[in-house]
Amino acid sequence: MNMAAPFTAPASGQHATGTSEPWVVRWLLISVALTFLTLFLFVPLGFVFYEALKKGIGVYLAAITDPDALDAIRLTLLVAAIAVPLNLVFGVAAAWSIAKFNFVGKNVLITLIDLPFSVSPVIAGLIYVLIFGLQGWFGPWLREHDLKIIFAVPGIVLATTFVTFPFVARELIPLMQAQGTEQEEAATVLGASGWQTFWRITLPNVKWGLLYGVILCNARAMGEFGAVSVVSGHIRGATNTLPLQAEILYNEYQFSAAFAVASLLAMLALVTLALKFIVGQHADGRQHPSERRP
Amino acid sequence: MSIDLHGIVKRFGSFVAVDHIDLHIETGELLALLGPSGSGKTSLLRMIAGLEAPDEGSVSFAGKDATDTHARDRQVGFVFQHYALFGHLTIFENIAFGLRVRPRKQRLAENEIAKKVNALLELVQLDWLADRYPHQLSGGQRQRVALARALAVEPRVLLLDEPFGALDAKVRQELRRWLRRLHDEVHVTSVFVTHDQEEALEVADRVVVMNHGHIEQIGAPADVYDHPATPFVFEFLGHVNRLPSQVADGADTYARPHDIAVRRAPSQSALAARFVHGSAIGPVARLEFALGPSAQTINVELPRELFRELSLQPGEIAYLTPIRLHQFASAA
């Protein structure tokens, strides 16, 4: 059959191919999706920036350069800078052991990694209060040694780490499982040590997936509210992260300032989305179909 | 370097993949491990490489025990069934990998690595692909890269797992001969696993036929083909007909399709069979007969010319005379 054949089909009317729906259904589904997105995403997002800038750029800049706001930004960055690397190491270690080794309790570990997704963040925060709070298990011991975890930065880091630990691991486990162990075996037979195999073979193979997980992990670490709210104590300039700062300002009827702080988080979300898109394209495009394992 | 396997046992749960195998592999020979899937041949190969540890028994290289030697220290070259090329590295870097991961003191200088890799690329006739990535290569090219990568570390043994399994028929044929020539050139002790009897018989110096974790027979290709030790070997190495026992005295009797003569006239000891179907594509005509009351199928291969001369029509009776019979004392 020659290549032009498909184009010589009758020109009259549309050909409903076996798999596509009537145009009414398609149009309806697309418009439902778009309406939903507009109502629940675009309008609120636009509203955040509108409210933040309503009283002028001066008020906006003043709100985000307020000492308390700057402290909140610093704390948010600090917490993310600790929690994300911790979960990066944990995620790689967990994914490596689950994908490359067989051991008893493997399925339990996979389920446990998902725990923070299924537990309410507020409960996650309360767990740490119960363990490290003044009335908690380690409370008296911590007081004796003059260590503060709850209502202080360590508690916020702990709660954030807990809430964000599935992201990297979840991203890597299916990827590493799909890649199997053949390339690692090939490297080993060629004389590579475990360390060399990890750095030269395993890591390059999962780097885009890893980056993707880190981006999501970071976005959640900076935006976490519930768990952090429980352990922070809302001490201005000391234990307020950006989401908490936005809430406090809102409760004090400083709407413009509240929305200004919120707009920073919204921008973080937009940057995350853009990065996610770029990295996601790399992650899909990198592996050529013919190189995939059967 | 010679390899000795002694009393090797490998279990996966309750499944015994390799069951007390002893095998001696000569220096410089090209040995095929042939068997159906699940016969334990790949497990055996992986145990030689050190990628799998035997539950019992020992592996020796050149007479020295290597059972507890780590895979990275065994100096073996391994070609994986799906090549396991490093997708993020160029062909050049794939081949150089084994040279680059050596401890610093033993590592070659950059220009020596380049010289060696280029020589290997020439050996596998792929020097023009040095800067490409694995996914840009065809299956046959990837296979040769995998081979070059394994040879780069100057292995004492070359192990190949179903080396041609993932290729199409034509490329497989070419690579098969190419591997044979390469082995004659490089002369490294080589073991390859295959389920394809043609491949094993054509390429190897010696063939080890495996079944259910046992060795059924070891021998030169012509040996195992002409003098199969067990019914399994006979049936596995090519098509075979099981003939009714009245032909000989009681024992199971087998004849290859090309070892049966077909005549139109009856003769002593010939079997009367009904011609069912024949196809004459290529130099050999394949004929199907139905024998006896149970209409047992007998396959016969004749030169195309002979088939034409016979001009049998479906339904006609012809007389089959086995030219060569194989008998095995105890039926499998």
Side-chain angles (χ1 to χ4, degrees):
Chain A
M1 206 172 91
N2 82 37
M3 291 300 289
F7 303 106
T8 57
S12 64
Q14 283 188 325
H15 292 277
T17 59
T19 53
S20 85
E21 302 293 336
W23 67 271
V24 187
V25 177
R26 270 186 279 167
W27 181 83
L28 205 69
L29 281 174
I30 293 170
S31 50
V32 164
L34 282 179
T35 314
F36 199 85
L37 268 181
T38 311
L39 272 176
F40 289 91
L41 209 70
F42 299 140
V43 169
L45 192 64
F47 190 73
V48 168
F49 287 100
Y50 170 75
E51 281 292 326
L53 294 164
K54 199 165 66 175
K55 290 185 180 160
I57 192 87
V59 176
Y60 179 81
L61 287 177
I64 59 172
T65 51
D66 176 81
D68 285 349
L70 286 177
D71 278 334
I73 293 172
R74 260 194 292 275
L75 181 61
T76 301
L77 292 175
L78 174 73
V79 169
I82 300 171
V84 174
L86 274 180
N87 281 326
L88 173 72
V89 173
F90 166 78
V92 171
W96 174 283
S97 48
I98 285 167
K100 316 278 177 184
F101 308 135
N102 274 318
F103 54 92
V104 183
K106 187 161 150 171
N107 286 325
V108 178
L109 182 58
I110 295 175
T111 312
L112 282 179
I113 286 172
D114 279 345
L115 191 70
F117 280 160
S118 49
V119 170
S120 158
V122 175
I123 306 298
L126 277 177
I127 295 166
Y128 289 105
V129 173
L130 288 174
I131 297 173
F132 299 114
L134 280 184
Q135 318 302 324
W137 289 356
F138 297 111
W141 186 86
L142 288 168
R143 193 163 40 178
E144 263 173 46
H145 292 80
D146 202 22
L147 292 170
K148 268 187 84 76
I149 290 182
I150 299 305
F151 305 146
V153 176
I156 297 174
V157 172
L158 277 177
T160 305
T161 307
F162 176 84
V163 171
T164 56
F165 83 61
F167 286 97
V168 175
R170 268 282 123 191
E171 197 61 44
L172 289 186
I173 290 167
L175 192 61
M176 283 185 164
Q177 275 176 334
Q179 285 173 350
T181 52
E182 234 185 29
Q183 289 196 19
E184 276 84 2
E185 284 181 349
T188 304
V189 174
L190 288 167
S193 66
W195 191 245
Q196 284 172 320
T197 305
F198 176 73
W199 284 107
R200 287 167 181 260
I201 304 301
T202 310
L203 205 57
N205 271 335
V206 299
K207 66 178 177 218
W208 291 110
L210 185 66
L211 199 55
Y212 197 88
V214 165
I215 289 167
L216 290 182
C217 181
N218 181 61
R220 182 65 191 265
M222 290 190 174
E224 175 54 27
F225 178 82
V228 170
S229 172
V230 175
V231 297
S232 115
H234 301 263
I235 305 163
R236 246 173 240 256
T239 63
N240 264 352
T241 59
L242 274 178
L244 299 183
Q245 181 73 10
E247 192 217 10
I248 287 183
L249 291 169
Y250 188 84
N251 285 345
E252 290 170 351
Y253 304 104
Q254 304 185 44
F255 295 129
S256 283
F259 278 107
V261 172
S263 75
L264 292 178
L265 287 167
M267 278 191 270
L268 167 73
L270 292 176
V271 170
T272 303
L273 207 65
L275 286 175
K276 224 183 95 176
F277 180 73
I278 296 166
V279 171
Q281 279 200 321
H282 266 281
D284 294 340
R286 201 193 71 78
Q287 209 180 25
H288 194 268
S290 62
E291 188 66 357
R292 270 181 209 140
R293 299 168 50 80
Chain B
M1 188 194 59
S2 67
I3 305 169
D4 281 287
L5 305 179
H6 200 76
I8 297 278
V9 177
K10 180 69 189 177
R11 297 181 198 91
F12 294 104
S14 59
F15 175 72
V16 184
V18 175
D19 194 2
H20 293 95
I21 279 192
D22 296 298
L23 181 62
H24 173 76
I25 301 165
E26 286 292 342
T27 305
E29 80 172 326
L30 178 52
L31 185 94
L33 295 176
L34 173 67
S37 56
S39 60
K41 54 195 193 306
T42 296
S43 299
L44 199 61
L45 193 79
R46 289 173 62 85
M47 284 187 278
I48 299 174
L51 291 171
E52 214 85 66
D55 293 318
E56 288 171 36
S58 64
V59 179
S60 315
F61 287 170
K64 269 208 263 170
D65 186 82
T67 317
D68 295 323
T69 309
H70 194 279
R72 83 173 66 96
D73 303 319
R74 288 197 188 190
Q75 289 174 271
V76 298
F78 200 102
V79 177
F80 290 82
Q81 186 176 2
H82 300 287
Y83 322 128
L85 296 181
F86 307 132
H88 63 289
L89 298 177
T90 61
I91 299 311
F92 183 95
E93 286 303 324
N94 261 280
I95 297 173
F97 186 88
L99 304 172
R100 292 205 192 282
V101 296
R102 280 186 188 168
R104 190 151 298 160
K105 278 182 192 159
Q106 301 163 31
R107 208 178 299 161
L108 299 171
E110 187 57 38
N111 60 341
E112 283 175 80
I113 291 180
K115 221 165 91 185
K116 198 158 178 183
V117 172
N118 285 326
L120 280 161
L121 277 167
E122 252 166 65
L123 180 72
V124 298
Q125 300 150 19
L126 291 174
D127 37 339
W128 47 290
L129 289 175
D131 298 327
R132 304 279 181 89
Y133 285 87
H135 67 81
Q136 296 168 306
L137 270 58
S138 72
Q141 291 168 338
R142 281 184 220 173
Q143 170 64 269
R144 285 185 276 160
V145 173
L147 204 58
R149 183 179 69 178
L151 289 173
V153 292
E154 289 173 15
R156 303 189 289 170
V157 190
L158 186 61
L159 306 170
L160 306 101
D161 186 10
E162 295 276 2
F164 315 113
L167 301 168
D168 55 70
K170 193 162 182 286
V171 181
R172 202 182 316 179
Q173 278 265 337
E174 282 170 22
L175 268 181
R176 217 140 84 179
R177 294 192 185 134
W178 178 82
L179 177 71
R180 181 66 240 185
R181 282 200 306 272
L182 183 82
H183 180 263
D184 294 340
E185 232 172 276
V186 182
H187 251 308
V188 58
T189 310
S190 307
V191 181
F192 75 99
V193 155
T194 180
H195 63 267
D196 182 338
Q197 21 89 15
E198 244 185 88
E199 197 169 289
L201 296 176
E202 186 182 323
V203 178
D205 295 323
R206 274 202 310 158
V207 178
V208 175
V209 186
M210 291 183 67
N211 186 28
H212 293 305
H214 298 282
I215 292 178
E216 295 266 338
Q217 190 175 3
I218 306 175
D223 239 22
V224 291
Y225 190 83
D226 292 334
H227 308 288
T230 64
F232 173 82
V233 175
F234 194 58
E235 291 194 39
F236 195 70
L237 296 181
H239 299 288
V240 67
N241 293 300
R242 190 183 217 158
L243 299 176
S245 49
Q246 75 252 25
V247 175
D249 42 2
D252 271 323
T253 311
Y254 299 83
R256 298 238 183 254
H258 55 76
D259 285 340
I260 296 175
V262 182
R263 292 195 185 86
R264 283 182 154 265
S267 67
Q268 209 188 6
S269 87
L271 299 162
R274 195 165 47 82
F275 176 60
V276 180
H277 173 77
S279 78
I281 296 159
V284 174
R286 288 167 218 278
L287 286 65
E288 194 183 320
F289 290 90
L291 181 70
S294 59
Q296 186 198 346
T297 301
I298 302 284
N299 292 303
V300 176
E301 285 173 13
L302 290 179
R304 193 183 168 129
E305 292 308 312
L306 262 175
F307 175 57
R308 229 181 252 157
E309 278 168 31
L310 281 166
S311 69
L312 283 168
Q313 296 305 314
E316 278 188 286
I317 299 292
Y319 297 89
L320 310 181
T321 317
I323 305 161
R324 267 159 59 113
L325 284 172
H326 289 268
Q327 272 182 306
F328 299 98
S330 60

